[in-house]
Amino acid sequence: MDKKFTPVIDRYVKTLLTDGGLGICEGKIKVSDITSSCPSLKKQQRSDRFKIIIPYAGQSLMWEVLFDCNHPEDPPDFIFGADDNEFSPSLEDLKCLSEWDANDPRALLLAVEQLVSQYGHYQQQLVENNDRLRFEYSSLIDQTELTPEDIEVLIHRSETKLGPVHFLIKLNVDFSGIPTYLTNDNPGKDLALLLITSPSPESNRVAPQLFLSPRVEQAFGGSANLRIPSYPNGSYLIDYVPSVLQLLKNKVEQVVQGHEKREEYIAAFLSHFGKSVLEYDAESFSKISFLFEWNDFFFIVHIDLPLYFPKESPVISLQSVYHESQGKPYMEIIKEYPYSPRWTGNEMADRTRGFILSIISTFQKSSVLAGSS
């Protein structure tokens, strides 16, 4: 049978899926296991209950939402996860349910938001009941710039043990200075989230993970370009979290400075050789190509600027416009040439010009030999 909500419930669910961005990760809510409490012999059922999957503390909460298809305007009931038997929020604290507005398409979303907020308070009580977790949490709040709104904690519980424990921490880094990159998709807000997971509050087996939003990850040159340190045995969050935060701030500074230096470099080369330019990257200033002539010999110079320029030197390639090698244009990559990261863009342009003039005769002979072989 088809699973279709009644019009009233369908409106609530659509708003929940499109507008819901909860928690410090602002993740979207998902819906699954759609069923009906109203048996029907018709092909199309009136579905009125389903499960919602809510991102929280780097994990997922799965709650069941129960409407009544015969009275879809009434507020729903909720069934929480198996680990949360003691989570029983007071209806007095849930105004969106006690004062349910059936005409508001955001009614379900608002109720879920209030429940997630109450769930956070419940997890905070679990933190307060454990000496180690209370110390870890309070140290971050008291000795750093982090606020309770920057930290989500999820503690799994069973009859025999406490754990695993998850801390999801929003690292407050100013990303406004990183370059704007063109992307096919909406990159969303700039975020850096640190997830700390341990099997139990007292365990030394702690696994840290860093999550970056798409634009930030692209600015850093991909996830492989930012490796966070492992979590030292016997360490505390107050020791580890600030070190990762400083690592991120340093990386942002390098990216910003690198972008500014690459722009200066490209501008200098355009000023010196603008009439010979074939193309250049006007967004991230990562490459530029020229067509030069020397004694009636035409050749192309490609210059690729690395992400962390000028600390890392540019890659210079010479390409013949006449000769091929193994079916491709003959090209040589120059690995050694005069370079200093302290030079200005103009000095780099002058020195690169002088170096190319010193080797172009040798390159011409090599390309001719390659083309005749």
Side-chain angles (χ1 to χ4, degrees), residues 36-54:
S36 175
S37 63
C38 304
S40 175
L41 297 177
K42 296 181 180 180
K43 181 179 180 180
Q44 195 172 83
Q45 284 187 331
R46 294 186 298 166
S47 299
D48 58 356
R49 51 192 59 197
F50 49 91
K51 292 180 180 178
I52 56 175
I53 303 169
I54 305 168

Side-chain angles (χ1 to χ4, degrees), residues 3 8 44 47 89 91 94 105 139 148 164 178 199-200 220-221 231 234 243 246 251 263 273 335 342 353 361 364 371:
K3 298 175 180 179
V8 173
Q44 195 172 83
S47 299
L91 192 59
L94 300 171
S139 297
I178 65 174
S200 67
F220 288 169
Y231 197 95
S243 68
Q246 190 59 51
K251 190 65 71 171
E263 185 176 8
F273 316 113
K335 296 182 179 180
R342 294 182 294 274
R353 177 180 179 276
S361 176
Q364 181 187 24

Side-chain angles (χ1 to χ4, degrees), residues 25-288:
C25 71
E26 300 185 9
K28 293 293 185 181
I29 299 173
K30 298 180 181 179
V31 170
S32 68
D33 299 347
I34 302 171
T35 59
S36 175
S37 63
C38 304
S40 175
L41 297 177
K42 296 181 180 180
K43 181 179 180 180
Q44 195 172 83
Q45 284 187 331
R46 294 186 298 166
S47 299
D48 58 356
R49 51 192 59 197
F50 49 91
K51 292 180 180 178
I52 56 175
I53 303 169
I54 305 168
Y56 188 85
Q59 308 302 303
S60 295
L61 305 177
M62 183 174 287
W63 296 346
E64 191 167 0
V65 183
L66 309 176
F67 279 96
D68 182 351
C69 63
N70 293 314
H71 302 282
E73 68 282 354
D74 290 348
D77 292 324
F78 289 84
I79 299 177
F80 305 112
D83 289 347
D84 301 319
N85 292 330
E86 296 183 12
F87 176 49
S88 56
S90 170
L91 192 59
E92 295 180 358
D93 298 326
L94 300 171
K95 298 298 183 182
C96 288
L97 288 177
S98 61
E99 301 175 6
W100 179 262
D101 183 0
N103 296 317
D104 185 357
R106 302 182 75 247
L108 177 59
L109 172 60
L110 295 175
V112 171
E113 288 177 344
Q114 284 193 351
L115 282 168
V116 171
S117 176
Q118 290 297 312
Y119 187 79
H121 295 318
Y122 162 70
Q123 288 290 330
Q124 182 62 40
Q125 292 173 0
L126 298 182
V127 169
E128 293 295 327
N129 292 336
N130 182 274
D131 292 341
R132 175 62 183 265
L133 295 179
R134 183 171 63 252
F135 171 78
E136 296 279 21
Y137 183 88
S138 61
S139 297
L140 289 177
I141 298 298
D142 296 339
Q143 300 180 43
T144 71
E145 297 179 354
L146 293 170
T147 67
E149 289 72 28
D150 296 322
I151 304 174
E152 288 178 353
V153 185
L154 180 59
I155 306 169
H156 296 280
R157 303 180 70 196
S158 68
E159 295 181 358
T160 58
K161 64 171 292 189
L162 190 68
V165 179
H166 309 276
F167 278 82
L168 184 65
I169 303 167
K170 179 182 178 181
L171 300 176
N172 293 314
V173 180
D174 182 7
F175 294 113
S176 61
I178 65 174
T180 300
Y181 295 97
L182 299 178
T183 57
N184 294 328
D185 302 318
N186 180 8
K189 290 182 63 175
D190 293 334
L191 282 175
L193 302 176
L194 181 62
L195 176 62
I196 307 290
T197 302
S198 61
S200 67
E202 293 77 21
S203 175
N204 286 324
R205 293 190 296 113
V206 180
Q209 291 178 273
L210 181 66
F211 299 95
L212 303 174
S213 56
R215 192 177 83 97
V216 175
E217 184 171 310
Q218 183 178 5
F220 288 169
S223 58
N225 276 299
L226 185 64
R227 298 185 181 276
I228 60 175
S230 58
Y231 197 95
N233 286 337
S235 185
Y236 297 95
L237 290 179
I238 189 58
D239 302 317
Y240 184 76
V241 173
S243 68
V244 176
L245 177 61
Q246 190 59 51
L247 174 68
L248 266 179
K249 289 181 177 180
N250 293 342
K251 190 65 71 171
V252 169
E253 185 177 355
Q254 291 177 16
V255 168
V256 172
Q257 291 179 353
H259 184 269
E260 292 172 352
K261 285 294 185 180
R262 291 196 305 274
E263 185 176 8
E264 176 191 339
Y265 184 99
I266 295 294
F269 274 70
L270 288 174
S271 175
H272 282 69
F273 316 113
K275 292 182 179 180
S276 300
V277 68
L278 291 176
E279 61 178 356
Y280 71 96
D281 178 2
E283 180 187 321
S284 59
F285 305 103
S286 62
K287 60 182 63 178
I288 190 168

Side-chain angles (χ1 to χ4, degrees), residues 316-365:
I316 299 176
S317 304
L318 302 183
Q319 176 185 330
S320 171
V321 300
Y322 308 102
H323 309 102
E324 291 184 347
S325 176
Q326 297 180 348
K328 297 180 180 180
Y330 180 75
M331 181 179 293
E332 289 184 9
I333 298 177
I334 310 301
K335 296 182 179 180
E336 296 183 6
Y337 59 91
Y339 177 76
S340 170
R342 294 182 294 274
W343 291 342
T344 64
N346 285 321
E347 186 170 359
M348 288 182 182
D350 284 334
R351 296 217 181 210
T352 301
R353 177 180 179 276
F355 173 73
I356 291 174
L357 286 174
S358 72
I359 65 168
I360 190 59
S361 176
T362 302
F363 173 75
Q364 181 187 24
K365 293 176 182 178

